[in-house]
Amino acid sequence: MTDWRESQANFPVLPYSMKDEPEDVPEVEVEYGNNRNGEMLHNSSNKRSRTTSDCWDHFTKITVLGIKKAKCIHCGAELTAGSGTSHLNRHVRSCLSRTQQKDQVDDCLEKKEVTKDDGTCGVALQSFDPIVASHKLATLIVKHELPLRFVEYDAFKDLMSYCNPLAKNMCRSTLKIEIFKLYNSEKAKTMKLLENNDSRVAITTDLWTTSNQKKGYMVVTGHFIDNSWHLQSRILRFINVPAPHTVECLSQVLVKCLWDWNVDKKLSTITLDSCTTNEAMVDRVKGMIPTESMVLNGKFFHMRCAAHILNLIVKDGLKVIEGGIGKIRESVSYWSSSPKRLKTFEMTAHQLQIVCERKLVLDCPTRWNSTFDMLDVAVMYKNVFSRLRHCESHYKCLPSDKEWELAEKMLDYLRPFYSLTDVFSGTAYPTAIMFFPVICKMRKSLMEWQMSPIPEVKLMAGGMIEKFLKYWQEIHMVLVMAVILDPRFKMLMIEFYFPKIYAVGVAEQIKRVRDLCEEIFNYYEVTSTTLTCGAVAESSLAVGHSLKGQRQLGFLNWAAFEAFASQNTKLTKSQSELERYLEEPLVERTADFDVLTWWKMNKDRYPVLAEIAKDILAIPVTTVASKSAFSVEGRSLSPHRSRLHPDTLEAIMCTQHWLWAANRGAIPEEEIFTGEELNDDEDNGPQILN
């Protein structure tokens, strides 16, 4: 039988911390005891004698009723002490508890399934690497948003002790060191990915102030299409920005981030919310980064967030029924303010035989889609609110019947606009190609609303069109190029919608778009490094898995467009790659079509256009990708965890995003934690992010 000390010498242990704590020493009941090294202590004198037998690693000396005993630390058996150690060694060799404990460790940690050369499965021995174990534990904590104190939970320690009885536990200090190691490793991989990628990077950024820390954070996200034609996004920085958040401060932080990541010379666009501060910041950024490296000297460098603009447009329209919305908001707030009132509301709904499928939700007045959700739920229970008005004397904000009726009609008109938010907010598919048909549909709907017999709808449409026209000319041109690069639409989508939008000057507007296409094509033709002779594509069809964007456009009138396209498709002999692409027939519009897969298969046929497609189709039309980081941050930075140092928070947020992105998946819904009581982390010292 293998000696226990030999097996123990090779037994894996986990690193504990920068300064290991001593192992637990069994308590001495009366006069005598010994520490872990076998040093015997006697209370009646200060003399120490050292026991030399190995068996004392498995026994504790005790005194019971004046008699010296040796208690086995494995099974608890008490043997006589002081008359030699032969009987103690025999017990160690025959102790079943010790043998079973050792076998458990060997089975759990040293064996793994392997696939042999002949394809069969077998079991092989595996040496335990504590460095790998520490890395995997840090990955677990970061990827699944567990609190740093997780490693100090008693249940986790018990689990590790069961898997490896001799393993040492990791403390928060050591875990933090492992997290920064993981951060630096994943950052190097991400930087290499960006360095080896031959396409431009589109940037989105947003600023947010925590409610508990009162600190400002800027998240900078890079979007690009990789060499395998997959849409990618990576958080570059999640950085604390000290107040005041002036234009000079924000622009310096942003430019430094671009310099640190070596993407300042391969930028395509930067997407920001529409406000004067961001406009001034973009001007300063363009002054700090050479515009010669930008497409057309930065002519289309600044992109305004489409979701933010949509929010501004609809908010202007909702001012028409502001009074009714205010009463509904007060009603929802009143009946959801306490469990007792909510219970009364549910009982009243049950009495009226109304099923409470959806709970009352209070909106955020600055976000119109949350207002839509609030109204959509409230109108379901309008009869409940009316009944409660007669039962509760303190409830005095009931909307009138006309206000309920107007709210229902506004919901019907705004429902297509609500679905546009999902289209713009996608991150798994190119949103640039969705922008133009969606925005054209929006403008066409507003024009139809102006003819509505309902005065409030006409008034709402007038306010929304005024805001729409303010941003239309500023945001649509570069994204028009994106829809042209979709082989299902090309120029025919422009020629189909422009007559419906412009009352006069349609030909001039279409010519403007053609001139833009030629200008961008000529720029890339001069700077292109992949010019080759045109080759026949493998196939003109392409399918892929990014179907959400296609499904979200189901409300558009595709039948009318396809009829128009069939009548206006023509073929002529041409020499230009751009003209040849535009004049070829449209690709069939199918539910499983993937535009990126199509360009991957046809890049040899259209080398210059493929480069343009790689850069433009990666442009996000909203800052949703950056805002989603703050959504995750809200779960990680609970009030109990607000003491995390900004550097530690950045390491956790960035590493989590990189780990999930490497698996080509977003953070799953089941990973969204709501139990903030589990988070109780403190982080005092600053860290240096390499």
Side-chain angles (χ1 to χ4, degrees):
M1 177 181 294
T2 304
D3 185 71
W4 170 245
R5 287 183 62 84
E6 293 179 357
S7 63
Q8 183 183 357
N10 297 323
F11 196 82
V13 294
L14 290 173
Y16 182 82
S17 67
M18 295 176 289
K19 181 177 180 181
D20 292 344
E21 290 188 0
E23 297 181 25
D24 293 338
V25 179
E27 295 183 358
V28 179
E29 296 182 14
V30 192
E31 298 181 27
Y32 294 94
N34 66 291
N35 62 14
R36 190 63 177 167
N37 295 325
E39 297 174 343
M40 185 170 63
L41 306 179
H42 193 286
N43 290 338
S44 62
S45 67
N46 294 327
K47 295 182 180 180
R48 294 188 179 187
S49 60
R50 182 176 179 83
T51 55
T52 58
S53 177
D54 294 340
C55 69
W56 291 112
D57 287 333
H58 309 280
F59 287 92
T60 300
K61 281 194 172 185
I62 61 174
T63 300
V64 179
L65 300 177
I67 301 175
K68 299 177 181 178
K69 296 282 188 179
K71 185 175 181 179
C72 178
I73 65 175
H74 303 293
C75 65
E78 297 179 359
L79 287 75
T80 58
S83 59
T85 59
S86 298
H87 64 301
L88 300 181
N89 284 319
R90 286 195 297 271
H91 178 82
V92 169
R93 291 192 294 269
S94 61
C95 180
L96 294 177
S97 297
R98 184 191 70 84
T99 304
Q100 292 173 356
Q101 190 180 54
K102 177 179 178 298
D103 291 342
Q104 277 185 340
V105 172
D106 291 343
D107 291 339
C108 292
L109 299 179
E110 293 187 3
K111 294 181 180 181
K112 67 173 183 177
E113 288 190 1
V114 296
T115 303
K116 299 180 181 179
D117 295 336
D118 58 0
T120 60
C121 295
V123 178
L125 295 179
Q126 171 182 271
S127 60
F128 181 87
D129 190 340
I131 297 178
V132 175
S134 299
H135 173 83
K136 291 185 176 296
L137 180 56
T139 302
L140 169 69
I141 298 296
V142 170
K143 195 171 182 179
H144 298 286
E145 298 184 34
L146 300 177
L148 302 185
R149 182 167 284 187
F150 179 81
V151 296
E152 297 178 350
Y153 289 167
D154 291 337
F156 177 75
K157 292 180 180 179
D158 291 342
L159 173 64
M160 297 305 297
S161 178
Y162 174 77
C163 296
N164 183 351
L166 298 182
K168 294 181 180 179
N169 296 305
M170 182 185 290
C171 68
R172 279 181 291 174
S173 298
T174 306
L175 174 62
K176 192 169 66 172
I177 292 175
E178 294 298 327
I179 288 175
F180 276 98
K181 289 180 181 178
L182 181 62
Y183 167 82
N184 291 325
S185 173
E186 293 300 321
K187 180 179 179 180
K189 294 178 184 177
T190 305
M191 293 190 73
K192 187 175 181 180
L193 174 64
L194 288 170
E195 180 182 352
N196 295 336
N197 197 59
D198 56 13
S199 65
R200 290 182 177 270
V201 179
I203 298 295
T204 59
T205 183
D206 202 7
L207 187 69
W208 176 81
T209 302
T210 60
S211 58
N212 42 27
Q213 272 194 335
K214 304 303 179 183
K215 294 180 180 179
Y217 287 90
M218 173 186 281
V219 61
V220 182
T221 308
H223 308 263
F224 59 96
I225 294 174
D226 62 22
N227 295 333
S228 298
W229 287 87
H230 293 137
L231 184 62
Q232 302 279 3
S233 66
R234 296 291 189 276
I235 290 181
L236 306 184
R237 292 297 304 270
F238 192 95
I239 185 171
N240 171 234
V241 182
H245 300 150
T246 61
V247 173
E248 293 77 10
C249 175
L250 297 178
S251 57
Q252 288 176 0
V253 170
L254 177 58
V255 171
K256 186 179 183 302
C257 170
L258 301 178
W259 285 343
D260 292 342
W261 282 81
N262 299 322
V263 296
D264 54 301
K265 294 184 179 179
K266 53 189 310 184
L267 295 175
S268 59
T269 61
I270 179 169
T271 304
L272 301 165
D273 285 347
S274 183
C275 65
T276 55
T277 301
N278 286 338
E279 292 177 1
M281 182 178 70
V282 170
D283 291 337
R284 285 186 61 87
V285 170
K286 291 173 69 174
M288 300 170 70
I289 297 177
T291 56
E292 293 80 9
S293 61
M294 303 179 186
V295 178
L296 299 178
N297 293 323
K299 185 176 180 179
F300 303 108
F301 181 62
H302 184 196
M303 294 289 299
R304 289 166 176 81
C305 175
H308 185 236
I309 291 174
L310 178 63
N311 185 54
L312 296 176
I313 293 173
V314 179
K315 278 177 60 182
D316 267 21
L318 289 176
K319 290 179 180 178
V320 176
I321 58 170
E322 191 172 10
I325 292 177
K327 290 183 179 180
I328 293 175
R329 182 181 293 117
E330 291 178 16
S331 298
V332 172
S333 176
Y334 183 88
W335 290 108
S336 60
S337 60
S338 68
K340 182 179 179 181
R341 288 179 178 176
L342 192 59
K343 184 66 176 178
T344 302
F345 186 90
E346 293 175 352
M347 291 177 60
T348 305
H350 180 71
Q351 293 171 0
L352 295 174
Q353 297 182 347
I354 299 175
V355 181
C356 294
E357 296 179 349
R358 300 172 64 183
K359 293 184 178 180
L360 294 176
V361 55
L362 191 63
D363 72 329
C364 173
T366 59
R367 293 172 50 217
W368 86 270
N369 54 334
S370 69
T371 303
F372 182 93
D373 287 331
M374 179 188 71
L375 297 177
D376 198 28
V377 175
V379 295
M380 296 171 54
Y381 304 119
K382 63 179 183 179
N383 293 333
V384 179
F385 287 108
S386 299
R387 170 71 67 87
L388 290 170
R389 176 66 182 88
H390 302 288
C391 302
E392 176 62 61
S393 59
H394 294 90
Y395 173 47
K396 300 179 180 180
C397 51
L398 177 68
S400 65
D401 293 340
K402 183 178 180 180
E403 288 170 332
W404 281 119
E405 183 181 356
L406 277 176
E408 290 184 82
K409 290 180 179 179
M410 292 301 179
L411 285 174
D412 292 337
Y413 278 97
L414 292 175
R415 201 170 300 278
F417 282 68
Y418 183 80
S419 65
L420 300 186
T421 303
D422 287 338
V423 176
F424 290 154
S425 303
T427 57
Y429 55 88
T431 56
I433 59 176
M434 309 294 171
F435 177 82
F436 182 78
V438 166
I439 211 75
C440 288
K441 177 67 175 178
M442 181 191 305
R443 182 166 180 177
K444 188 172 179 292
S445 298
L446 292 177
M447 294 170 65
E448 293 174 352
W449 294 0
Q450 286 186 309
M451 306 299 175
S452 173
I454 304 173
E456 290 82 3
V457 174
K458 293 178 65 174
L459 190 59
M460 180 181 71
M464 294 176 69
I465 286 182
E466 182 179 354
K467 184 75 70 173
F468 181 93
L469 294 176
K470 177 181 177 181
Y471 295 105
W472 168 255
Q473 297 296 335
E474 299 177 355
I475 61 177
H476 84 291
M477 286 307 297
V478 70
L479 297 175
V480 167
M481 185 67 185
V483 78
I484 292 173
L485 290 170
D486 191 325
R488 298 169 296 175
F489 306 141
K490 300 184 181 180
M491 276 296 299
L492 290 176
M493 177 66 77
I494 314 301
E495 296 169 355
F496 173 73
Y497 267 116
F498 272 20
K500 302 178 184 299
I501 294 175
Y502 294 103
V504 294
V506 176
E508 290 78 3
Q509 293 294 335
I510 294 177
K511 183 179 183 301
R512 183 186 174 198
V513 173
R514 282 190 174 273
D515 292 343
L516 171 66
C517 293
E518 293 178 1
E519 186 179 10
I520 294 178
F521 178 81
N522 293 335
Y523 171 84
Y524 273 86
E525 192 173 32
V526 173
T527 60
S528 175
T529 59
T530 60
L531 281 177
T532 58
C533 296
V536 178
E538 297 176 17
S539 172
S540 60
L541 298 177
V543 296
H545 60 275
S546 301
L547 306 180
K548 182 179 179 182
Q550 173 70 19
R551 296 192 185 111
Q552 293 284 11
L553 295 179
F555 60 87
L556 297 179
N557 188 359
W558 292 115
F561 168 71
E562 288 172 351
F564 175 84
S566 63
Q567 297 173 4
N568 291 272
T569 301
K570 57 182 179 179
L571 286 174
T572 60
K573 293 183 179 180
S574 60
Q575 300 297 324
S576 168
E577 178 184 321
L578 174 61
E579 293 177 355
R580 177 160 46 89
Y581 166 77
L582 292 177
E583 293 176 359
E584 287 187 352
L586 299 182
V587 173
E588 181 182 358
R589 188 178 60 84
T590 58
D592 57 356
F593 180 84
D594 186 352
V595 64
L596 297 183
T597 303
W598 189 91
W599 277 109
K600 178 181 180 180
M601 298 168 63
N602 290 272
K603 62 182 179 180
D604 293 331
R605 190 179 184 190
Y606 306 111
V608 177
L609 287 175
E611 280 196 32
I612 301 174
K614 223 177 189 185
D615 293 344
I616 291 184
L617 296 183
I619 297 174
V621 299
T622 70
T623 59
V624 169
S626 293
K627 291 180 184 293
S628 64
F630 295 132
S631 175
V632 174
E633 193 275 348
R635 300 197 302 270
S636 296
L637 195 63
S638 68
H640 297 288
R641 204 172 186 179
S642 60
R643 291 172 290 181
L644 279 177
H645 190 274
D647 285 351
T648 306
L649 180 61
E650 178 176 4
I652 292 174
M653 297 305 305
C654 292
T655 306
Q656 182 194 44
H657 187 269
W658 297 335
L659 290 172
W660 283 109
N663 295 336
R664 292 194 58 76
I667 300 176
E669 291 296 327
E670 58 267 20
E671 299 304 330
I672 298 179
F673 292 97
T674 56
E676 293 184 348
E677 67 280 3
L678 297 179
N679 299 327
D680 186 15
D681 298 316
E682 182 175 6
D683 188 4
N684 297 318
Q687 298 290 334
I688 303 299
L689 300 180
N690 296 329

